[in-house]
Amino acid sequence: MTRPEVVANSLHHPGGSVIDTQPTPLNRALDRIASGALVIACIALVCMATVEAWQVFARYVLNNSPSWTEPVALVLMSTTMMFGAAVGVRANKHFGFFIVAHNASPPVRRALHVIARLIATSIGVMFAVWGGEMLIDAWDFPMAGAPLPQGIVFLPMCLGGALIAIFSLEQMFAPLPATIELVE
Amino acid sequence: MAVAILFGVLIVMLFIGVPVGFALITASLLTVLYLDLPSIIVVQQTVAGASAASLIAIPLFIFAGELMMRGGISERLIAFAASLVGHVRGGLGQVNVLASLLFGGVSGSAIADVSAIGGTMIPQMVKRGFDRDFAVNVSMTAALVALLVPPSHNLILYSASAGGSISIADLFAAGIIPALLLTGALLLVTYIIARKRGYAVEIFPGWFAVLRRFVSALPGLLLVAMIFFGIRAGIFTAVESASIAVFYAVLITTLVYRKLTWESFKTTCGGAVRTTGLILFVIGAAASFGWLLAYLQVPAAAVEVLTGISDNKYIMLLLMVLVLLVIGTFMDLAPLIIICTPIFLPVAKAFGVDPIHFGVILILKGGLGLITPPVGSVLFVGTAIGGISVTDALKTIWPFYLTALGVLLIVVYVPALSLWLPSLLRH
């Protein structure tokens, strides 16, 4: 039985790039975009913790339970999810059953790699386009509980979808990943 | 036909290496197209699925766990466990099991557990003359305990996958006795194997040293108590407790343990974001899949088919455990919980199985999948840390595996082990 080489949370590169060959200017530009996406997702995570902690502080100390915390935290969670997922696509770090593809012959492995990235690209485009449509449709409606437009709920999906599409497209032409990263 | 498309496409996608989240969305999209429904439903359901308020607890608990893992708590918990059980036959093996239980209460994650405790304990065990396969197998099976003790994000995931109707406080309480049972069983099997292989024991450092190490580990241990009793007493919700856990972890690791630097904080955030992105993306993707399951009345059909096989609750539970064991061998825990809960929970309910009891069974069974090839995340991490092949680990894992399987069957057939504590604490 072959054991895939394991990389646990490798953070040697902030954007999670797994490109083994000499990076091109495009790779470097995408590196910066991926790093930016990771930073945005991290800020959203920290803000999410702060917003929820503020809810407890306001309820017990200020005796005033704010209604905006939950909708804002949900937008932040959506941001963490979509940007984190996009970074995961670039780092080849997603849940999956990769053993068959991993043990296939090189041409078959390359074909499966391209198919998987093509599917991810299509879904990224779908999220970006339909997420954008829903964002525009709902922009004029106020969000329940928070002074924000309802359309903002779809912004992370739209931007994250675009990032997933771009990173999947990049991965399609990248060398085959030598590692499988694992999460529970 | 639509059901065949839904499952057929999913299976094909998974086998050709399409990541689970994208495979779920593709299967849903093609089924929606076949049914001539508006395709935008898939995106709408994905947004809705990832917008349940209870899910906010998951990224925050993952974040808190990462902070504690990188902030020095694991070393202190190992030191405390070593002072308590290091002198028992099997020495460091026993320490490994107990430290995993304690650290599980901080991280709630088996991968974090095997990385943090196994990463420290396996090299130490090898250095003291323990066989490498023994050290790896003890670490991997002990890590499963983390899935059952609060704040396990897998229990929150189960609650969300069940539609948010199951109390997270009850699930947290339900996992404790099975977790203790698994710990006790693993301590026993470690003792037996250690005796057989003639492993050394550590010297008992004295009760003063035990007390000193307990005090050192106490700030970390208080986290789990704070979360558990805070939720139970209604002082804060599970989500709020998760945010408090994050701030508490930052304070403890910077001011008390003085190990968390700005650089390690950034690394921790990055790690938490990546894990969160993966899990939440699958949750969102599974929402459209779950919506289609309900639309096509798959759970009702599953109930009908399974009731046709037997009307005995315990035979049905055994059947479900076997099916889930097979699924668990090729599916990771989070997708397994998200995909299987909407299908199997209605069946369990139809047979009178309490949803809390079923949740504990599902998580424990899913845990066994984590140490079973071909898709065993804990297995891969544990063997990579120990520097042995999966094959070598599997040759001698069976006493530990059978012990965990035995505990699973006891938990399945003695519902009181899962239901007594939540019921007691509710009154």
Side-chain angles (χ1 to χ4, degrees):
Chain A
M1 182 181 300
T2 54
R3 177 169 56 85
E5 187 186 338
V6 174
V7 180
N9 278 338
S10 74
L11 288 161
H12 56 280
H13 194 289
S17 170
V18 290
I19 295 162
D20 302 328
T21 52
Q22 194 66 28
T24 63
L26 178 66
N27 293 144
R28 280 196 290 273
L30 291 175
D31 264 350
R32 280 195 287 275
I33 293 173
S35 299
L38 190 64
V39 168
I40 291 170
C42 288
I43 292 171
L45 181 67
V46 173
C47 288
M48 205 191 326
T50 310
V51 163
E52 286 297 334
W54 176 258
Q55 169 71 34
V56 179
F57 179 80
R59 186 165 69 241
Y60 287 111
V61 180
L62 306 179
N63 207 21
N64 175 24
S65 205
S67 64
W68 57 267
T69 51
E70 187 174 301
V72 169
L74 285 171
V75 173
L76 292 167
M77 180 171 71
S78 186
T79 308
T80 308
M81 171 183 96
M82 289 307 294
F83 284 67
V87 171
V89 165
R90 190 152 198 264
N92 276 309
K93 190 182 177 190
H94 266 271
F95 288 117
F97 179 71
F98 304 117
I99 302 296
V100 174
H102 200 80
N103 290 319
S105 63
V108 174
R109 198 171 160 218
R110 163 56 69 183
L112 294 178
H113 174 84
V114 170
I115 292 170
R117 270 67 194 172
L118 203 60
I119 288 169
T121 306
S122 312
I123 288 170
V125 170
M126 184 180 90
F127 278 163
V129 173
W130 284 340
E133 275 181 23
M134 289 192 286
L135 183 150
I136 293 163
D137 288 348
W139 193 261
D140 292 332
F141 298 99
M143 186 185 281
L148 293 169
Q150 179 62 26
I152 208 163
V153 168
F154 302 103
L155 184 62
M157 175 140 296
C158 177
L159 296 177
L163 287 174
I164 286 173
I166 292 167
F167 293 152
S168 302
L169 212 54
E170 181 202 15
Q171 288 298 311
M172 207 186 298
F173 301 104
L176 292 175
T179 60
I180 296 176
E181 295 202 22
L182 299 164
V183 289
E184 185 175 295
Chain B
M1 182 62 185
V3 176
I5 292 173
L6 188 66
F7 283 100
V9 172
L10 176 67
I11 291 166
V12 170
M13 291 288 136
L14 290 177
F15 266 85
I16 65 170
V18 176
V20 176
F22 296 110
L24 284 165
I25 292 171
T26 310
S28 305
L29 191 64
L30 293 180
T31 310
V32 159
L33 289 172
Y34 172 78
L35 292 168
D36 213 13
L37 294 169
S39 319
I40 203 166
I41 282 178
V42 175
V43 179
Q44 286 170 335
Q45 289 300 325
T46 304
V47 174
S51 302
S54 64
L55 292 178
I56 299 171
I58 294 175
L60 298 182
F61 274 134
I62 290 172
F63 190 22
E66 290 255 359
L67 284 165
M68 293 304 253
M69 185 171 80
R70 293 176 202 271
I73 181 69
S74 54
E75 293 93 321
R76 284 161 178 85
L77 291 175
I78 288 171
F80 173 51
S83 68
L84 273 181
V85 294
H87 60 287
V88 179
R89 175 67 64 184
L92 292 181
Q94 307 283 1
V95 173
N96 199 331
V97 175
L98 193 62
S100 289
L101 171 71
L102 299 175
F103 188 73
V106 175
S107 74
S109 155
I111 292 279
D113 210 317
V114 77
S115 306
I117 304 298
T120 307
M121 290 302 300
I122 294 171
Q124 276 191 40
M125 288 175 76
V126 172
K127 205 170 153 190
R128 305 275 183 98
F130 287 79
D131 293 308
R132 213 169 266 276
D133 61 319
F134 176 81
V136 168
N137 287 332
V138 169
S139 302
M140 292 192 306
T141 38
L144 304 187
V145 173
L147 301 171
L148 294 170
V149 289
S152 166
H153 63 257
N154 293 294
L155 289 169
I156 301 169
L157 195 55
Y158 168 70
S159 170
S161 304
S165 57
I166 304 169
S167 157
I168 292 172
D170 281 350
L171 282 169
F172 277 177
I176 290 175
I177 293 178
L180 292 174
L181 186 66
L182 182 58
T183 304
L186 289 174
L187 284 171
L188 184 65
V189 78
T190 301
Y191 176 87
I192 294 168
I193 296 172
R195 203 177 168 84
K196 205 172 155 190
R197 294 195 184 186
Y199 292 139
V201 296
E202 303 289 304
I203 298 161
F204 181 60
W207 287 108
F208 181 70
V210 174
L211 184 67
R212 211 177 54 214
R213 290 175 187 181
F214 172 71
V215 171
S216 172
L218 191 60
L221 290 171
L222 276 177
L223 178 69
V224 64
M226 195 173 68
I227 293 166
F228 185 73
F229 291 107
I231 299 173
R232 198 74 253 179
I235 298 168
F236 35 65
T237 63
V239 173
E240 290 165 355
S241 78
S243 71
I244 290 167
V246 169
F247 281 93
Y248 181 80
V250 170
L251 286 176
I252 292 299
T253 51
T254 50
L255 300 179
V256 181
Y257 294 158
R258 295 172 184 274
K259 200 171 172 194
L260 192 73
T261 59
W262 175 239
E263 280 308 311
S264 58
F265 178 76
K266 286 194 288 185
T267 308
T268 303
C269 282
V273 158
R274 284 157 189 241
T275 308
T276 297
L278 304 189
I279 293 178
L280 290 183
F281 188 74
V282 175
I283 293 173
S288 54
F289 189 84
W291 181 84
L292 275 166
L293 286 180
Y295 182 84
L296 298 168
Q297 299 183 322
V298 173
V303 172
E304 204 175 310
V305 169
L306 288 170
T307 45
I309 296 170
S310 170
D311 56 1
N312 184 302
K313 172 180 164 181
Y314 293 104
I315 290 176
M316 194 46 55
L317 270 173
L318 185 64
L319 196 65
M320 279 200 283
V321 166
L322 290 174
V323 172
L324 288 167
L325 272 173
V326 173
I327 297 173
T329 57
F330 63 86
M331 195 176 277
D332 259 310
L333 184 55
L336 181 131
I337 295 168
I338 297 163
I339 295 169
C340 292
T341 301
I343 299 172
F344 288 101
L345 182 60
V347 178
K349 277 183 180 171
F351 280 89
V353 178
D354 192 293
I356 293 171
H357 180 209
F358 182 72
V360 174
I361 294 170
L362 183 69
I363 305 292
L364 187 51
K365 192 236 63 63
L368 282 173
L370 293 175
I371 54 169
T372 314
V375 182
S377 307
V378 170
L379 183 68
F380 294 147
V381 174
T383 50
I385 292 170
I388 59 170
S389 71
V390 169
T391 315
D392 285 343
L394 291 178
K395 275 180 195 161
T396 52
I397 201 175
W398 62 268
F400 298 99
Y401 196 91
L402 288 180
T403 303
L405 192 63
V407 169
L408 171 64
L409 290 176
I410 292 170
V411 169
V412 168
Y413 290 111
V414 187
L417 290 171
S418 311
L419 300 177
W420 175 73
L421 196 56
S423 155
L424 180 77
L425 293 171
R426 245 180 260 138
H427 296 110

